[in-house]
Amino acid sequence: FSEMPTHSFVESAFWNFDALFQPQQHPARDQHDTFFLQDPAEALELPPGYMGRVKKVHSQGGYGSQGYRSEWRVADARRTLLRTHTTACSARLLQRLAQQASFAPGRWFSIERVFRNEAVDATHLAEFHQVEGVVAERGLALGHLLGILREFFSKMGITQLRFKPAYNPYTEPSMEVFSYHPGLKRWVEVGNSGVFRP
Amino acid sequence: MPTVSVQRDALFEALGSTYTDEEFDELCFEFGLELDEITSEKTIISKERGDGKAEGASDTVLYKIDVPANRYDLLCLEGLVRGLQVFKERINIPRYRKIMPPKGEGQRLIITEEAAKIRPHAVAAVLRNITFTKERYESFIDLQEKLHQNICRKRALVAIGTHDLDTITGPFTYTAKAPSEIKFKPLNQSQEYTASQLMDLYRTDSHLRHYLHLIENKPLYPIIYDSNGVVLSMPPIINGDHTKISLNTRNVFIECTGTDITKAKIVLDILVTMFSGYCEKPYSVEAAEVTNSNGKTHIYPELAYRKEKVKPEYINKKIGISETPSNLAKLLTRMCLKSHVTGNGNHIEVEVPPTRPDVIHACDIMEDAAIAYGYNNIQMTIPKMYTIANQLPLNKLTELLRTDLAAAGFTEVLTFALCSQEDIADKLGTDISATKAVKIANPKTAEFQVARTSLLPGLLKTIAANRKMPLPLKLFEISDIVLKDDSTDVGARNYRHLCAIYYNKNPGFEIIHGLLDRVMQLLDVPNEENGYVIKAGEGSAFFPGRCAEVIAKGQSIGKFGVLHPDVITKFELTMPCSALEITIEPFV
């Protein structure tokens, strides 16, 4: 797995949410409890052609999808924030990949800081690190995702795994990964995953 | 994720079988739900307000179940039970029907131009001959609240109003009037109020005050009347008391108004599909007619069933299983997506019911098939492609430096990237406007107002928290700071800094200087003109005459020196301290 460039804490709502099909008016956006920025308050530029396609899929559908069929506003996409997940970097990476002349399969990872506007307590911090992995190849299936996750966790000594259906706006199917914690004597969530929506 | 609270015994009774807590947890897990907590009203009250207040509260066991944010059909007991029963193949998927009332007898809602300017959309429907019990009634109210909180975005997008149809006469008018002209007795009040008085009345209401801002400053407030001038509701704030639903209500008129028509339709569909089970003709809903301000009429609820065709190979391949088309159709039917095989057996026709607005693409159908199959039953494989991997150069450099700095006797720290404005400005002797700091608009505490422009405050705060440790304290951090930058597309970027401090009874300028020399030696940068040079410098955080600037690769890459006593005191420290901070990006 190659390391992804993730060299900016500040992101635009476009890359953090809209390019990942997270609806503009949906509580899914609040789920992440974001740090919005006062200064700079707006992103200086967004990729015009790509943005047009994202707008269309949100408001009318496309690529086989019905879309959300709600109004999509550029102003919302322009807002700047501190990234809530490194999937925003994955989105940038995938878009660059898509612009290459020919497709070459690849795998990428990153271990980077993300920010969520939560009250700090024993199990929550406002900033923490996420491990992110992306695999792009022809003919991938859910079984492959399960296999990679199993290998990844077993390298850390976590072998008892269960997978639960979950929901992310940008992946379908999505899975939460649970592992049995012998100390706490219960299953705890150790990760989230999914296959990106077409 | 929204949480639904259901009484365990009522749930098991509706499911027709009992489970142990573990068995039910397992069932939820398979289906995609999470049994978050097992509690009771008594436990909740004693946790929130103390054991004394919990006396006399109910002991009935409550299950708190976490539901995925996009499944509006699982937000109430009725929906959960239906979903689980179909999943377990105990019942068939109910078919929801729209019944057209005899001509001229249907209910009508007319939207006027005034309303169209404020909250332009409305949909409506009727539940005929419904039977309420105390539990069903509470569930009905609960579902409205859940929908309000989720898809309706706290009533901003859609607001739901439910009314006892026998207390009012149609046709209904949805219009807007000046606040002083609106007067009615709102729900659970004993006298009439004007709309302006209601705004004041509810300003202190813990539940309703959050919605006042949606219409408060508009010139006209939305209001729904029946043909006799009786107020049904003032959306999105409150219903009228006259149309209050009770356990004896037999016919319910539902109206949803708002600014997003797609969501209003979804909300109405969910509400009627969930509760039409209790009507005399189960799962049938009486249609109502809505006339827009431009004269066009629509019949609601839509209760649209959409047909999608998917290929069995698509589902099999994307999941990594190989099931026959008829088995796949069975799996989908278990997820409330009624399917059957068509064509020559190479197509599956899937019917998406109105309870599943989350299915918008073939991949959603594929996911449901995987869930029914059981994620944990899918064979795990590794993709066959080989890739060559490498690390980002900047991170590689950071890793190398970290090891060597630790070898030099310094301890690494990891600090927060967010801090207060004072931390990067006043406490370091400068003004906040001189820094190019990124400011946060909605911090929860003062500790997270800005993104750091220097690693120094973090290190100093670490020392302050560790004053009892033996001296000298030698700390370092190699991490990112954030500065505003107009040349990037978002207006800011990160810079990788290296910062080290030495805290002891003597400031240790020579130690910090030595560390810098060591770092440069590791980076293979000689101490001369085309390598790095040290010049006398100034810095507001440094002691005058004890500060140096480091010039390398044609630019100033940082400073080091003895810290000014003011800085030391402001960070609540007492000993002398010297510090070094440089950017390592030019050396990548």
Side-chain angles (χ1 to χ4, degrees):
Chain A
F1 281 71
S2 290
E3 195 165 10
M4 274 195 270
T6 52
H7 201 43
S8 182
F9 292 154
V10 174
E11 253 314 346
S12 61
F14 180 73
W15 288 109
N16 202 66
F17 294 126
D18 296 291
L20 294 173
F21 200 51
Q22 201 146 359
Q24 286 190 336
Q25 301 154 322
H26 197 267
R29 209 117 153 169
D30 273 355
Q31 252 179 27
H32 283 212
D33 283 5
T34 326
F35 278 117
F36 285 102
L37 296 183
Q38 201 178 61
D39 184 18
E42 278 195 350
L44 296 170
E45 58 176 77
L46 300 173
Y50 182 49
M51 181 174 78
R53 290 201 293 275
V54 169
K55 172 175 177 169
K56 182 158 172 291
V57 174
H58 272 244
S59 50
Q60 297 165 23
Y63 306 100
S65 172
Q66 304 265 319
Y68 291 124
R69 282 173 286 149
S70 297
E71 205 195 317
W72 191 86
R73 290 192 295 237
V74 182
D76 279 353
R78 286 197 106 95
R79 294 186 72 182
T80 45
L81 41 87
L82 291 174
R83 63 185 179 209
T84 60
H85 50 182
T86 40
T87 320
C89 309
S90 302
R92 284 187 186 258
L93 175 83
L94 291 174
Q95 203 253 339
R96 268 203 306 276
L97 251 195
Q99 295 185 321
Q100 282 171 359
S102 63
F103 173 70
R107 310 180 186 189
W108 296 270
F109 81 96
S110 76
I111 306 177
E112 268 292 345
R113 216 182 277 236
V114 294
F115 303 86
R116 301 216 179 155
N117 196 358
E118 305 201 19
V120 177
D121 65 29
T123 52
H124 295 92
L125 283 180
E127 44 181 296
F128 54 98
H129 286 79
Q130 274 191 338
V131 177
E132 173 115 357
V134 181
V135 177
E137 279 178 29
R138 295 193 196 279
L140 281 181
L142 193 58
H144 294 134
L145 179 60
L146 289 167
I148 292 185
L149 287 170
R150 183 189 58 184
E151 290 307 316
F152 173 73
F153 282 107
S154 66
K155 297 255 189 257
M156 292 191 280
I158 300 176
T159 46
Q160 271 185 304
L161 290 175
R162 265 168 86 201
F163 298 91
K164 175 176 159 285
Y167 166 66
N168 292 318
Y170 40 93
T171 52
E172 190 89 9
S174 323
M175 301 194 298
E176 278 171 8
V177 190
F178 282 75
S179 164
Y180 188 72
H181 193 294
L184 293 173
K185 290 216 185 342
R186 61 189 179 95
W187 292 87
V188 292
E189 185 180 342
V190 292
N192 197 332
S193 63
V195 180
F196 275 108
R197 294 186 76 101
Chain B
M1 286 213 286
T3 311
V4 184
S5 214
V6 288
Q7 282 187 11
R8 182 194 61 187
D9 298 326
L11 179 63
F12 287 166
E13 197 188 313
L15 283 174
S17 51
T18 47
Y19 297 85
T20 62
D21 290 340
E22 290 81 36
E23 282 168 354
F24 192 70
D25 185 70
E26 186 68 42
L27 175 61
C28 284
F29 198 87
E30 270 177 44
F31 194 52
L33 307 169
E34 208 172 316
L35 181 57
D36 192 40
E37 210 187 326
I38 304 171
T39 179
S40 70
E41 212 179 280
K42 204 174 194 175
T43 330
I44 299 177
I45 299 182
S46 65
K47 265 198 212 165
E48 286 177 15
R49 292 186 255 162
D51 285 327
K53 296 266 161 65
E55 281 298 315
S58 159
D59 249 347
T60 357
V61 177
L62 292 174
Y63 272 170
K64 284 199 185 230
I65 303 179
D66 268 348
V67 170
N70 63 339
R71 290 296 297 269
Y72 313 117
D73 60 318
L74 300 174
L75 287 175
C76 58
L77 177 105
E78 289 74 11
L80 279 170
V81 167
R82 219 171 287 170
L84 288 170
Q85 295 285 61
V86 175
F87 186 60
K88 285 274 174 218
E89 291 182 287
R90 290 221 191 90
I91 62 170
N92 286 327
I93 310 172
R95 186 127 197 118
Y96 305 105
R97 284 169 310 157
K98 183 167 60 189
I99 305 205
M100 295 305 301
K103 202 151 172 58
E105 278 184 34
Q107 298 302 328
R108 277 169 37 226
L109 177 69
I110 302 162
I111 310 178
T112 67
E113 269 192 37
E114 291 85 5
K117 292 203 187 94
I118 308 185
R119 289 171 72 89
H121 301 288
V123 296
V126 174
L127 288 174
R128 274 279 163 213
N129 295 319
I130 190 169
T131 316
F132 277 116
T133 63
K134 184 164 171 296
E135 288 77 30
R136 293 178 193 179
Y137 175 74
E138 280 171 5
S139 189
F140 193 53
I141 303 292
D142 267 350
L143 179 60
Q144 289 176 54
E145 250 326 284
K146 289 259 162 13
L147 288 170
H148 276 154
Q149 288 303 312
N150 287 317
I151 184 177
C152 304
R153 253 321 187 93
K154 300 202 179 93
R155 301 197 195 179
L157 299 180
V158 182
I160 309 169
T162 52
H163 312 275
D164 189 330
L165 186 55
D166 299 323
T167 63
I168 40 180
T169 335
F172 307 104
T173 316
Y174 173 41
T175 181
K177 278 199 176 155
S180 45
E181 287 176 35
I182 300 174
K183 196 159 184 224
F184 66 103
K185 185 161 81 155
L187 196 63
N188 293 330
Q189 297 291 334
S190 51
Q191 61 176 90
E192 289 200 340
Y193 291 90
T194 65
S196 349
Q197 288 171 328
L198 284 176
M199 287 290 136
D200 292 326
L201 180 69
Y202 290 133
R203 222 171 284 284
T204 48
D205 184 296
S206 58
H207 182 55
L208 292 174
R209 64 167 186 205
H210 304 285
Y211 310 121
L212 298 181
H213 72 99
L214 293 169
I215 56 170
E216 196 168 6
N217 294 323
K218 304 260 193 270
L220 305 176
Y221 290 178
I223 188 98
I224 306 184
Y225 291 106
D226 80 343
S227 57
N228 295 324
V230 175
V231 167
L232 272 73
S233 64
M234 186 173 75
I237 310 294
I238 190 88
N239 287 351
D241 193 69
H242 185 100
T243 60
K244 187 162 63 176
I245 295 185
S246 69
L247 294 186
N248 298 322
T249 304
R250 295 285 292 157
N251 299 302
V252 179
F253 179 67
I254 306 175
E255 37 88 0
C256 303
T257 57
T259 53
D260 186 323
I261 185 69
T262 311
K263 299 204 164 67
K265 288 195 257 185
I266 293 176
V267 165
L268 184 68
D269 278 355
I270 298 286
L271 207 47
V272 298
T273 50
M274 291 295 111
F275 285 92
S276 51
Y278 299 136
C279 288
E280 206 170 70
K281 282 205 200 117
Y283 308 120
S284 62
V285 186
E286 186 179 299
E289 196 183 276
V290 175
T291 310
N292 282 347
S293 54
N294 54 9
K296 283 173 81 171
T297 53
H298 297 270
I299 307 285
Y300 293 112
E302 285 196 344
L303 286 183
Y305 280 85
R306 203 178 78 237
K307 286 200 160 58
E308 287 234 9
K309 267 208 174 94
V310 278
K311 284 204 163 127
E313 300 89 66
Y314 171 78
I315 301 183
N316 276 331
K317 206 156 160 281
K318 289 289 178 191
I319 302 176
I321 56 177
S322 50
E323 287 284 306
T324 65
S326 59
N327 273 348
L328 288 176
K330 263 209 218 123
L331 291 177
L332 288 170
T333 310
R334 276 175 65 198
M335 299 299 292
C336 287
L337 297 173
K338 193 140 175 266
S339 315
H340 61 272
V341 182
T342 62
N344 309 333
N346 54 4
H347 269 106
I348 301 180
E349 195 178 81
V350 183
E351 197 181 56
V352 181
T355 47
R356 297 298 304 273
D358 59 295
V359 176
I360 55 177
H361 191 282
C363 62
D364 298 292
I365 297 178
M366 180 259 296
E367 184 190 37
D368 270 18
I371 296 177
Y373 186 84
Y375 276 9
N376 295 294
N377 297 332
I378 303 175
Q379 198 190 21
M380 301 188 193
T381 52
I382 303 282
K384 291 192 172 51
M385 276 295 181
Y386 288 98
T387 49
I388 302 176
N390 41 44
Q391 202 179 5
L392 271 186
L394 179 60
N395 288 340
K396 194 163 182 179
L397 179 64
T398 307
E399 297 294 310
L400 292 170
L401 282 173
R402 282 169 66 204
T403 325
D404 276 300
L405 275 165
F410 280 70
T411 307
E412 186 175 19
V413 255
L414 180 67
T415 60
F416 286 131
L418 301 178
C419 55
S420 67
Q421 284 198 7
E422 292 82 43
D423 283 338
I424 55 167
D426 310 322
K427 289 192 191 169
L428 296 177
T430 67
D431 191 67
I432 189 74
S433 50
T435 62
K436 286 193 286 179
V438 170
K439 294 201 189 70
I440 296 170
N442 56 337
K444 276 219 169 87
T445 64
E447 275 303 302
F448 297 130
Q449 288 171 327
V450 290
R452 67 184 171 199
T453 54
S454 157
L455 295 174
L456 196 54
L459 289 179
L460 289 169
K461 287 200 278 195
T462 311
I463 297 195
N466 287 289
R467 266 170 295 204
K468 298 225 170 71
M469 300 294 282
L471 296 174
L473 282 172
K474 303 192 289 195
L475 307 178
F476 80 93
E477 184 170 10
I478 309 183
S479 190
D480 285 354
I481 61 143
V482 186
L483 286 178
K484 290 207 312 182
D485 184 346
D486 281 340
S487 67
T488 61
D489 67 331
V490 288
R493 59 161 288 190
N494 289 10
Y495 291 89
R496 188 62 56 90
H497 275 207
L498 180 160
C499 185
I501 56 177
Y502 178 88
Y503 181 78
N504 200 5
K505 294 206 181 80
N506 59 308
F509 184 90
E510 65 282 3
I511 300 194
I512 281 293
H513 186 177
L515 189 68
L516 172 68
D517 287 342
R518 174 66 182 147
V519 170
M520 288 299 154
Q521 189 184 47
L522 290 166
L523 292 170
D524 211 18
V525 180
N527 188 350
E528 44 175 58
E529 270 306 312
N530 47 347
Y532 77 103
V533 285
I534 303 177
K535 289 206 177 104
E538 285 189 336
S540 58
F542 293 97
F543 201 93
R546 292 279 183 279
C547 173
E549 201 163 337
V550 187
I551 318 275
K553 304 229 180 212
Q555 45 170 300
S556 164
I557 59 163
K559 295 194 177 85
F560 72 101
V562 179
L563 290 181
H564 198 291
D566 283 349
V567 172
I568 298 181
T569 328
K570 285 200 183 121
F571 278 97
E572 294 169 20
L573 301 175
T574 50
M575 301 282 180
C577 185
S578 57
L580 157 75
E581 184 162 6
I582 56 169
T583 163
I584 61 170
E585 299 215 355
F587 302 104
V588 172

